[in-house]
Amino acid sequence: MSEQPKTRTTVDIFGQQYTIVGTESTSHIRLVASIVDDKMREISAKNPHLDINKLAVLTAVNVVHDFLKLKDDYEKIERQFRNPKD
């Protein structure tokens, strides 16, 4: 069993640098970091007095919420294709 090569990518999220190691492409890792950074800045603009820990948790909650909504929508569409009469 061969392992995929891992890449190290340094990204900037909310003014902090992070080195992310993974098997995804550098461009994918940069895209993910950019989305996280955008979401943190959006939440921070609405709640400027949040400390970084609370901001990070609220960002995670918002991203997971968005993910679950998309997953639910996907599953509904998938069910419609399997059972077109519903």
Side-chain angles (χ1 to χ4, degrees):
M1 192 183 332
S2 65
E3 276 188 42
Q4 288 185 300
K6 293 186 177 179
T7 59
R8 296 175 67 84
T9 306
T10 301
V11 296
D12 187 81
I13 300 173
F14 206 70
Q16 299 280 329
Q17 284 201 334
Y18 299 90
T19 299
I20 300 175
V21 179
T23 57
E24 298 293 339
S25 69
T26 297
S27 61
H28 177 79
I29 292 170
R30 290 189 191 284
L31 174 62
V32 170
S34 174
I35 292 168
V36 171
D37 183 67
D38 289 347
K39 184 60 86 170
M40 286 184 80
R41 291 181 188 286
E42 175 188 321
I43 293 169
S44 179
K46 294 175 185 174
N47 304 283
H49 302 294
L50 286 176
D51 66 54
I52 192 74
N53 293 325
K54 288 183 180 174
L55 177 60
V57 169
L58 282 176
T59 299
V61 168
N62 274 264
V63 170
V64 170
H65 171 74
D66 292 346
F67 167 77
L68 290 175
K69 282 182 12 185
L70 286 171
K71 184 179 175 212
D72 186 49
D73 290 347
Y74 173 80
E75 288 170 353
K76 285 178 186 173
I77 291 168
E78 195 175 48
R79 281 193 299 274
Q80 287 175 349
F81 276 107
R82 278 188 276 152
N83 304 310
K85 294 181 181 176
D86 288 351

